[in-house]
């Protein structure tokens, strides 16, 4: 009740003596400041909306054109199309004031015409994807159309400094492939996986689908591609993520690690405070649209749509489907420490708190000798539970009262900060420490991460950090961009004693405990805890640090590092499982508006032939090198097609969704969509922001991150090419499957990389002048 009274800013009562008015000046001041802050944000959004609407033109150019229009009119010259005089006819009179008004209106019409001409010219230019397929082999020449295209795009994209969303209106829509093209690509992708009889059967199913029901389904997709901004993204978010009923923990959420070769401070409160401050700075850049959009090769923009929900976002469970809730603003974060939840204000006296002030708040939490309420310590296990069960418990026990208020406090927070009471450790001589580091971030103990939140920042008691992120609202590159931004500035945030720099200007508001009444739902919390404990015990994780060589040697071989690693994974999996498997590699489609991901299928006819050649001692080394180059070329072409909207799987997925809406059964789609991805891979990008100067700070790079296995009998592999001589592999698998073993697979990856290196070294020794590369396309 004391907290409830403290929340009342104004009250009045009628007595026999008149009105009795009571108000809290401090709370009213907070309300006033909150309103002012809200209006400032609205005005900033309106200003940015106008700027983005006319980009790549300058808003200031309107005044130049207005001055020219005034000068022409009063000098006796006509404006283009005689606009000034034509507008003047419709105005009340011909006085000087109305003539000036007509000049401004004419200038506005001309300016808007120029703006939209520039904007749609840029949009037409960005539809061109021929640059993607240009050869980058030594000595190759860029085609004349691409050279001209580059020149014009550079002029338009550098005409004005872009904001975060400036290019959104200029990005093209994701193209819809034809059914015939998708069938051709699909059949080629499954050829190495099927014997002759099954391949013939699949050819028949594909042909029947293309000639019959496929045509009808495609017409509906054509309509959707015309009507919607992106014909895939909304269905992908709904059916792949929000309608999934499996726990988010391990199955959906992913994690990211610290820069493990650096140890900036051992003080938990200082590291947490500085990271929180940098995250809030990043949020401000997004809100003010001051964050520069990611530009491929410095001129081709990627879609920034996913950044909108980076903060103040939560996934809310539903009985049949979840929903993403994004709050426009939040002036607090929620801190989880030793099973207790705290609301921590991050905005006070008209500004965001500084790192030294945030450290004071966090130290107060660490010093508190608080005891969790009944059920509070294991409460977050509900977010790692089956989604329908969590939704039912939420509707029953968290829809009113203190539970509702506290749950809303968590969901409306900017993000969740978890202060762990254990260290995150790393030692090259003890690889199991890094494995445990990853496990603590992937799932923790099952109840010290709020898995529904956009992301949970995890800070260990030795100052190491990491995050666990919900996957629905964005893909890993967005979190990778945020994480790079943090590391770029985090190295400068501490003094000699390991504390944050600076001195607090005032005593910051102290964190307050969240209140709960969890007695009625203790049985649900206990059941969720048992389920998540079983889940995390079934998952094993191995983080392989490969330091023998990295992208430096791969480039020396004139092969894309991504293709090189994917071929190594194909060889490693074949040796591990004794067969080829359908392989998933995530590619991005953010060259298009609201684009997310597309699937690249690295297991190809060419890669399978090379893998078999590596196992056949009668094949010469030179033949193996040529076969690997051909396999890498094919992989690069598949990656380029995926990035350019010519992928296989998203088109098939959308055709399947339409078939379910129409209640039409398709044996072909049913079989295709049920195929398991036993090897699911993803590359963690880095170098997305120039803030991270790896030449100056070579150790300032994250070890990447990972995810759980997609199939119960498969592997999940995430890798980051961290430098010229460093690669990290995050390998996950289920312990309940006797066919998979993360330690064995990591050894197979190391051996595959060693064998490829030996193969190329022998080839270079036999041919002192490197053979001309036949690898085409952009390095990934």
């Amino acid at each position: 009740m004391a907290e409830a009274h403290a929340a009342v800013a104004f009250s009045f009562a009628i007595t026999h003596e008149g009105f009795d008015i009571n108000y809290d000046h401090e709370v009213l001041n907070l309300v006033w400041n909150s309103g002012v802050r809200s209006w400032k944000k609205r005005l900033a959004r309106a200003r940015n909306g106008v700027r983005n609407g006319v980009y790549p033109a300058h808003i200031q150019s309107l005044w130049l054109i207005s001055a020219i229009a005034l000068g022409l009119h009063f000098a006796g010259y006509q404006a283009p199309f005689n606009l000034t005089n034509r507008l003047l006819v419709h105005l009340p009179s011909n006085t000087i004031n109305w003539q000036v008004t007509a000049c401004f209106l004419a200038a506005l019409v001309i300016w808007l015409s120029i703006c939209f001409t520039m904007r749609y010219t840029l949009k037409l230019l960005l539809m061109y994807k021929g640059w993607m397929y240009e050869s980058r082999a030594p000595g190759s020449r860029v085609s004349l159309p691409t050279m001209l295209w580059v020149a014009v795009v550079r002029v338009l994209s550098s005409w004005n400094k872009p904001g975060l969303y400036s290019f959104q209106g200029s990005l093209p829509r994701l193209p819809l492939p034809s059914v015939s093209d998708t069938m051709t690509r699909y059949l080629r992708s499954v050829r190495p996986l099927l014997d002759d009889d099954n391949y013939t059967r699949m050819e028949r199913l594909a042909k029947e689908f293309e000639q019959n029901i496929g045509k009808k389904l495609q017409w509906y997709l054509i309509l959707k591609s015309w009507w919607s901004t992106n014909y895939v993204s909304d269905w992908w978010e709904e059916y792949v993520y929000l309608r999934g009923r499996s726990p988010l923990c391990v199955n959906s959420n992913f994690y990211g690690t610290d820069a493990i070769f650096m140890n900036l401070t051992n003080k938990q409160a200082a590291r947490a405070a500085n990271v929180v401050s940098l995250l809030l700075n990043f949020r401000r850049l997004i809100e003010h649209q001051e964050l520069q959009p990611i530009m491929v090769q410095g001129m081709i923009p990627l879609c920034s749509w996913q950044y909108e929900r980076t903060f103040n976002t939560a996934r809310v469970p539903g009985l049949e489907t979840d929903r993403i809730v994004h709050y426009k603003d939040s002036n607090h974060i929620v801190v989880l420490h030793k099973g207790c939840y705290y609301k921590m204000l991050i905005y006070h006296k008209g500004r965001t708190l500084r790192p030294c002030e945030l450290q004071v708040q966090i130290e107060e939490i660490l010093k508190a000798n608080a005891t969790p309420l009944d059920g509070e310590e294991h409460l977050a296990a509900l977010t790692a539970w089956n989604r329908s069960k969590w939704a039912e418990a939420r509707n029953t026990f968290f829809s009113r009262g203190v539970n509702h208020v506290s749950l809303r406090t968590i969901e409306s927070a900017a993000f969740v900060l978890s202060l762990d009471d254990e260290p995150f450790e790393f030692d090259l001589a003890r690889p199991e420490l890094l494995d445990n580091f990853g496990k603590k971030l992937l799932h923790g103990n099952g109840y010290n991460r709020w898995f529904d939140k956009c992301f949970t920042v995890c800070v260990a008691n030795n100052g190491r950090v990491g995050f666990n992120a919900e996957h629905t609202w964005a893909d890993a590159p967005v979190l990778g961009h945020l994480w790079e931004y943090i590391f770029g500035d985090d190295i400068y945030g501490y003094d000699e004693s390991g504390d944050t720099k600076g001195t607090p200007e005032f005593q910051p508001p102290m964190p307050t405990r969240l209140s709960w009444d969890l007695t009625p739902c203790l049985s649900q919390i206990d059941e969720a805890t048992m389920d998540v404990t079983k889940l995390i015990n079934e998952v094993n994780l191995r983080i392989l640090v490969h330091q023998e060589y990295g992208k430096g040697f791969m480039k020396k071989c004139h092969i894309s590092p991504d293709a090189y690693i994917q071929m190594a994974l194909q060889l490693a999996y074949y040796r591990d499982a004794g067969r080829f498997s359908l392989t998933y590699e995530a590619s991005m489609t953010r060259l298009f508006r609201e684009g997310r991901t597309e699937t690249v299928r690295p297991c190809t006819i060419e890669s399978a032939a090379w893998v078999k050649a590596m196992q056949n001692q009668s094949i010469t080394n030179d033949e193996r090198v040529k076969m690997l180059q051909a396999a890498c070329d094919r992989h690069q072409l598949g990656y380029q097609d995926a990035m350019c909207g010519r992928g296989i799987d998203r088109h098939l997925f959308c055709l399947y969704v339409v078939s379910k809406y129409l209640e039409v059964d398709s044996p072909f789609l049913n079989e295709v969509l049920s195929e398991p991805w036993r090897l699911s891979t993803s590359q963690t990008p880095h170098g997305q922001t120039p803030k991270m100067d790896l030449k100056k700070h070579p150790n300032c790079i994250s070890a990447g991150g990972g995810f759980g296995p997609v199939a119960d009998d498969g592997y999940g592999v995430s890798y980051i090419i961290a430098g010229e001589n460093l690669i990290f592999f995050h390998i996950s698998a289920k312990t309940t499957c006797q066919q998979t073993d993360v330690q064995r697979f990591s050894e197979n990856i190391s051996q595959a990389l060693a064998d490829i290196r030996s193969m190329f070294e022998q080839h270079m020794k036999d041919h002192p002048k490197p053979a001309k590369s036949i690898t085409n396309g952009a390095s990934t």
Side-chain angles (χ1 to χ4, degrees):
M1 290 299 293
E3 292 179 357
H5 282 299
V8 177
F10 177 85
S11 64
F12 72 93
I14 300 176
T15 67
H16 64 280
E17 297 178 353
F19 292 101
D20 182 18
I21 301 176
N22 296 307
Y23 64 91
D24 188 314
H25 183 273
E26 183 178 355
V27 177
L28 286 179
N29 188 51
L30 286 175
V31 172
W32 170 260
N33 288 334
S34 178
V36 170
R37 184 163 173 251
S38 178
W39 276 104
K40 284 182 178 179
K41 287 193 172 185
R42 291 180 186 178
L43 291 173
R45 280 195 291 266
R47 182 181 67 252
N48 287 325
V50 174
R51 183 183 70 170
N52 295 335
V54 301
Y55 188 85
H58 288 268
I59 296 178
Q60 292 82 356
S61 60
L62 173 61
W63 309 121
L64 175 62
I65 294 178
S66 298
I68 294 173
L70 286 168
L72 289 173
H73 178 74
F74 289 104
Y77 297 99
Q78 291 184 359
F81 308 106
N82 198 21
L83 269 178
T84 304
N85 292 328
R86 289 185 178 184
L87 290 169
L88 196 57
V89 172
H90 300 284
L91 297 178
S93 67
N94 197 23
T95 63
I96 293 294
N97 289 339
W98 287 113
Q99 289 183 46
V100 172
T101 301
C103 289
F104 275 117
L105 290 175
L108 180 63
V109 171
I110 295 170
W111 180 71
L112 288 174
S113 300
I114 294 173
C115 290
F116 285 106
T117 299
M118 292 177 68
R119 179 171 177 171
Y120 283 97
T121 299
L122 181 59
K123 187 169 187 174
L124 288 171
L125 289 168
L126 293 178
M127 290 181 182
Y128 175 73
K129 294 295 182 287
W131 62 272
M132 182 77 72
Y133 297 91
E134 292 285 348
S135 173
R136 284 158 177 80
S140 61
R141 297 185 62 183
V142 179
S143 65
L144 181 60
T146 298
M147 291 175 65
L148 294 174
W149 173 83
V150 167
V152 179
V153 170
R154 282 197 185 278
V155 170
L156 286 176
S157 61
S158 61
W159 188 271
N160 186 8
K161 184 179 179 180
L164 180 59
Y165 305 123
S166 292
F167 288 105
Q168 292 301 101
S170 300
L171 289 172
R173 296 189 180 195
L174 182 69
L176 177 65
S178 67
V179 175
S180 176
D181 287 347
T182 299
M183 293 301 102
T184 301
R185 292 191 183 100
Y186 171 77
L187 290 172
R188 195 183 197 287
S189 73
V190 298
R191 187 63 189 95
L193 306 174
L194 302 175
D195 57 31
D196 291 342
D197 291 339
N198 280 318
Y199 182 73
T200 301
R201 181 181 62 84
M202 186 56 70
E203 276 188 315
R204 177 179 54 79
L205 289 175
K207 186 176 182 180
E208 290 175 356
F209 174 79
E210 180 182 347
Q211 294 178 346
N212 297 294
I213 189 61
K215 294 180 179 179
K216 181 179 180 181
L217 302 181
Q218 180 75 352
W219 272 112
Y220 282 96
L221 274 190
I222 291 172
L223 291 175
K224 187 174 190 293
S225 68
W226 288 347
W227 179 254
S228 61
T229 307
N230 188 298
Y231 78 93
V232 175
S233 294
D234 56 340
W235 283 352
W236 186 254
E237 180 173 303
E238 179 179 358
Y239 294 104
V240 173
Y241 292 112
L242 296 179
R243 291 208 179 191
R245 301 293 85 194
S246 298
L248 300 184
C249 175
V250 175
N251 296 307
S252 179
N253 285 27
F254 59 95
Y255 70 89
T257 62
D258 200 354
I260 58 175
F261 292 109
M262 292 197 311
N263 190 13
L264 299 174
T265 178
N266 292 322
K267 295 186 177 181
Q268 185 177 22
R271 189 75 193 278
N274 206 52
V275 168
V276 168
S277 178
L278 291 170
L279 287 169
L280 297 177
N281 289 341
F282 195 84
R283 184 179 74 159
R284 181 185 60 78
L285 293 176
I286 292 176
E287 291 174 345
H288 293 183
Q289 299 186 25
E290 296 173 358
L291 187 69
Q292 293 294 297
I294 302 296
M295 306 285 282
V296 178
Q297 298 184 358
M299 64 175 182
I300 305 149
L302 298 184
C303 178
S304 300
W305 162 67
Q306 296 181 46
Y307 288 85
E308 293 180 8
R309 301 183 292 183
T310 306
F311 297 90
N312 322 333
T313 301
R315 175 167 167 172
V316 176
L319 294 175
E320 295 183 358
T321 182
D322 295 355
R323 57 193 175 93
I324 289 290
V325 176
H326 174 67
Y327 296 85
K328 289 293 183 183
D329 193 18
S330 178
N331 66 350
H332 72 278
I333 64 172
V334 166
V335 182
L336 172 57
H337 178 58
K338 291 186 177 181
C340 301
Y341 291 82
Y342 300 84
K343 178 181 180 180
M344 191 174 106
L345 294 179
I346 53 179
Y347 194 84
H348 189 60
K349 292 191 175 181
R351 66 169 175 81
T352 303
L353 296 179
R354 294 169 182 167
C356 56
E357 294 157 354
L358 293 168
Q359 183 176 346
V360 172
Q361 293 177 300
I362 294 171
E363 285 174 344
E364 187 69 21
I365 294 174
L366 294 174
K367 290 187 295 184
N369 192 21
T371 302
L373 302 171
D374 288 345
E376 185 180 15
E377 182 178 6
H378 293 175
L379 175 63
L382 293 173
T383 67
W385 206 14
N386 175 277
R387 302 305 291 172
S388 296
K389 291 182 178 180
W390 169 209
E392 186 176 349
R394 176 192 170 91
N395 294 339
T396 305
F397 305 109
F398 295 87
S399 60
R400 63 186 67 86
V402 294
N403 290 348
H404 175 73
V405 173
S406 295
L407 181 60
R408 182 178 174 81
T409 299
I410 296 175
E411 292 177 343
S412 64
F415 53 88
V416 171
L417 171 65
S418 177
L419 300 174
D420 288 10
D421 199 32
E422 57 184 343
F424 299 161
E425 297 175 296
F426 167 69
D427 186 345
L428 282 173
R430 299 175 61 193
E432 70 278 2
L433 294 179
L434 188 57
D435 298 345
N436 290 330
F437 193 158
K439 292 175 184 177
K440 291 171 184 177
L441 296 174
L442 176 62
H443 48 63
N445 58 18
Y447 46 82
N448 59 354
R449 311 281 180 258
W450 196 268
F451 296 101
D452 285 356
K453 199 62 188 157
C454 47
F455 60 89
T456 299
V457 178
C458 313
V459 185
N461 60 10
N462 62 347
R464 293 286 191 182
V465 300
F467 69 81
N468 180 285
E470 205 279 317
H471 206 332
T472 308
W473 62 272
D475 299 309
V478 175
L479 265 296
H481 185 188
L482 180 151
W483 215 232
E484 280 188 18
Y485 174 88
I486 289 175
F487 290 152
D489 284 338
D490 195 26
I491 53 179
Y492 306 110
Y494 309 94
D495 59 22
E496 295 77 6
S497 63
D499 290 308
T500 54
K501 293 180 179 179
T503 304
E505 291 186 358
F506 49 76
Q507 179 67 23
M510 288 297 102
T512 56
R513 280 284 301 274
L514 299 186
S515 298
W516 305 96
D517 179 16
L518 303 174
T519 303
C521 58
L522 288 179
S523 61
Q524 285 80 3
I525 294 174
D526 290 342
E527 183 182 347
T529 303
M530 288 188 292
D531 286 352
V532 71
T533 300
K534 179 182 178 183
L535 175 64
I536 64 180
N537 287 337
E538 292 177 350
V539 177
N540 204 356
L541 181 70
R542 173 82 175 91
I543 301 180
L544 171 64
V545 184
H546 185 269
Q547 291 184 294
E548 283 69 24
Y549 67 96
K551 65 180 180 182
F553 178 79
M554 298 172 189
K555 290 180 179 179
K556 188 177 178 181
C557 300
H558 304 302
I559 288 182
S560 158
D562 180 74
Y564 188 108
I565 291 176
Q566 284 293 335
M567 295 306 104
L569 291 175
Q570 288 299 308
L571 179 58
Y573 186 84
Y574 186 82
R575 290 172 172 174
D576 185 87
R579 67 177 188 275
F580 295 109
S581 177
L582 190 62
T583 306
Y584 181 107
E585 181 187 6
S587 168
M588 63 91 176
T589 56
R590 288 171 61 197
L591 292 170
F592 303 96
R593 190 169 182 180
E594 295 186 12
R596 290 200 63 162
T597 61
E598 176 58 276
T599 305
V600 182
R601 297 183 169 216
C603 184
T604 61
I605 297 171
E606 290 79 6
S607 69
W610 170 74
V611 168
K612 290 179 179 177
M614 291 295 289
Q615 301 298 97
N616 187 347
Q617 299 302 319
S618 64
I619 306 295
T620 66
N621 192 72
D622 285 355
E623 289 177 308
R624 290 174 177 174
V625 169
K626 290 179 181 179
M627 294 173 78
L628 176 58
Q629 289 177 325
C632 290
D633 280 351
R634 171 53 62 178
H635 177 79
Q636 281 299 97
L637 179 61
Y639 206 105
Q640 292 155 354
D641 284 343
M643 290 182 66
C644 294
R646 302 188 186 111
I648 301 170
D649 293 275
R650 298 302 178 267
H651 186 200
L652 293 175
F653 162 76
C654 288
L655 290 169
Y656 180 77
V657 172
V658 175
S659 73
K660 291 303 177 183
Y661 273 119
L662 297 179
E663 298 182 348
V664 175
D665 186 62
S666 168
F668 172 75
L669 290 177
N670 289 339
E671 183 163 343
V672 169
L673 271 295
S674 63
E675 293 170 343
W677 301 96
R678 292 191 176 89
L679 182 56
S680 182
T681 70
S682 178
Q683 180 185 170
T684 301
H686 75 90
Q688 300 184 78
T689 169
K691 286 181 69 69
M692 185 181 290
D693 188 352
L694 293 180
K695 292 183 179 179
K696 187 176 180 181
H697 303 284
N699 291 332
C700 184
I701 187 166
S702 168
F707 51 87
V710 174
D712 289 341
D713 58 346
Y715 294 104
V717 181
S718 176
Y719 54 93
I720 180 171
I721 306 171
E724 297 299 310
N725 294 290
L726 181 63
I727 309 171
F728 291 97
F729 293 89
H730 300 246
I731 308 160
S732 62
K734 292 288 183 72
T735 59
T736 52
C737 177
Q738 296 181 352
Q739 287 75 39
T740 57
D741 182 279
V742 293
Q743 179 62 36
R744 185 183 70 220
F745 192 49
S746 69
E747 292 171 357
N748 282 325
I749 292 174
S750 296
Q751 187 60 53
L753 289 169
D755 290 347
I756 298 174
R757 181 181 186 176
S758 298
M759 179 185 73
F760 271 109
E761 287 178 339
Q762 182 63 43
H763 181 71
M764 293 174 187
K765 183 179 179 181
D766 295 339
H767 306 275
K769 185 179 179 180
K772 186 177 179 181
S773 170
I774 60 172
T775 302
N776 295 320
S779 294
T780 304

